[in-house]
């Protein structure tokens, strides 16, 4: 039989599947909200061990600002709550490594001392953890607000 009359090969089926998959990913990416940078904080929550926990509180105006290095001793008074509500879920890093990363990349831009930054995040988390959202925005004075996205800018 000529090759054109033979059923599609495994290779051609995989090409088709790959194309369909990439198109679906592209459509999903276009439909997903894009976070707009500005004068607000974005709190990201994560599911860790079946529990909603803190991933971070990220100033949307800057990252990796200059400031003091992470000092685990600054968290001694809130360590139990940090381990419970802000564990490292990603990769094999320790909680301390995760918090050091969050401090150096995001906390240093908050303008708060390290202990106050982490205490503030824990306090905000306790206010919003039951809302069922994973992206929560706050003004610079930590008042909850609607998160601005490319969609709210384009359609408002």
């Amino acid at each position: 039989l000529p090759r054109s009359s033979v059923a599609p090969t495994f290779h051609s089926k995989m090409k088709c599947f790959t194309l369909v998959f990439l198109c679906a990913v592209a459509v999903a990416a276009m439909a997903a909200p894009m976070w707009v940078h500005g004068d607000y904080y974005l709190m990201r929550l994560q599911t860790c061990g079946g529990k909603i926990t803190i991933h971070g509180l990220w100033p949307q105006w800057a990252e990796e600002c200059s400031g003091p290095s992470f000092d685990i001793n600054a968290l001694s008074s809130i360590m139990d709550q940090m381990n419970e509500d802000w564990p490292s879920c990603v990769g094999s890093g320790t909680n301390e490594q995760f918090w050091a990363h969050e401090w150096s990349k995001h906390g240093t831009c908050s303008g708060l001392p390290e202990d106050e930054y982490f205490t503030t995040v824990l306090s905000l988390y306790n206010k919003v953890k039951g809302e069922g959202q994973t992206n929560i925005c706050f003004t610079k004075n930590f008042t909850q607000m609607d998160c601005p996205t490319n969609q709210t800018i384009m359609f408002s």
Side-chain angles (χ1 to χ4, degrees), residues 3 6-16:
R3 187 159 183 83
V6 176
T9 66
F10 175 77
H11 182 70
S12 65
K13 287 180 183 178
M14 285 308 296
K15 277 185 177 177
C16 183

Side-chain angles (χ1 to χ4, degrees), residues 44-56 78-100 102 118 121-122 125:
R44 179 73 48 89
L45 303 181
Q46 62 189 352
T47 302
C48 183
K51 179 184 176 193
I52 300 294
T53 63
I54 301 165
H55 186 137
I78 57 171
M79 190 59 63
D80 289 342
Q81 190 176 4
M82 290 290 294
N83 284 316
E84 178 72 20
D85 295 335
W86 203 333
S88 174
C89 282
V90 183
S92 59
T94 66
N95 287 351
E96 184 174 342
Q97 291 168 330
F98 180 46
W99 303 330
E102 290 298 310
F118 285 100
V121 176
L122 290 169
Y125 167 74

